């Protein structure tokens, strides 16, 4: 039940992380190349540069989303006293 109630907070945190990631990626890409990052739908691009852009963008977005999700869960837990998710990883 806590997961469902915390969903709006997690959605807002995810959107904020996405916007921050987009801005951060653009700034990081400017350090690599003067041109805009290549996109998959563009015809004449370097496949190596496309792969590099996708790897950086994917890793950055995944990291920011995970951090934002965890932070939103911590805020929820501090407000309600209930953690919306698993307490720890499952033992193997």
């Amino acid at each position: 039940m806590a997961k469902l109630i915390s969903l709006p907070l997690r959605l807002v945190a995810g959107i904020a992380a996405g916007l921050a990631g987009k801005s951060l990626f653009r700034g990081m890409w400017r350090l690599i190349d003067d041109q805009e990052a290549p996109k998959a739908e563009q015809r004449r691009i370097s496949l190596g540069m496309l792969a590099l852009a996708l790897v950086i963008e994917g890793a950055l977005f995944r990291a920011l989303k995970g951090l934002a999700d965890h932070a939103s869960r911590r805020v929820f837990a501090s407000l309600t006293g209930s953690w919306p998710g698993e307490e720890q990883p499952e033992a193997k």
Side-chain angles (χ1 to χ4, degrees):
M1 185 66 161
K3 277 186 175 182
L4 184 62
I5 296 170
S6 70
L7 185 61
L9 181 61
R10 291 176 28 227
L11 286 173
V12 169
I15 290 169
L19 293 173
K22 188 175 187 178
S23 178
L24 190 57
F25 172 71
R26 284 186 188 142
M28 288 177 69
W29 189 258
R30 278 189 223 119
L31 298 173
I32 296 169
D33 196 358
D34 294 337
Q35 295 181 354
E36 184 179 303
K39 296 179 179 72
E41 64 267 8
Q42 295 171 330
R43 185 173 187 173
R44 292 187 173 91
I45 56 170
S46 161
L47 290 181
M49 291 297 271
L50 174 61
L52 179 62
L54 293 172
V55 166
I56 292 170
E57 186 177 32
L60 182 62
F61 276 80
R62 181 70 177 124
L64 289 175
K65 185 184 178 310
L67 291 170
D69 184 54
H70 187 74
S72 68
R73 290 172 190 267
R74 290 184 82 135
V75 168
F76 182 83
S78 70
L79 294 174
T80 65
S82 174
W83 182 260
E86 298 176 19
E87 290 291 326
Q88 62 186 8
E90 292 180 20
K92 291 188 177 197

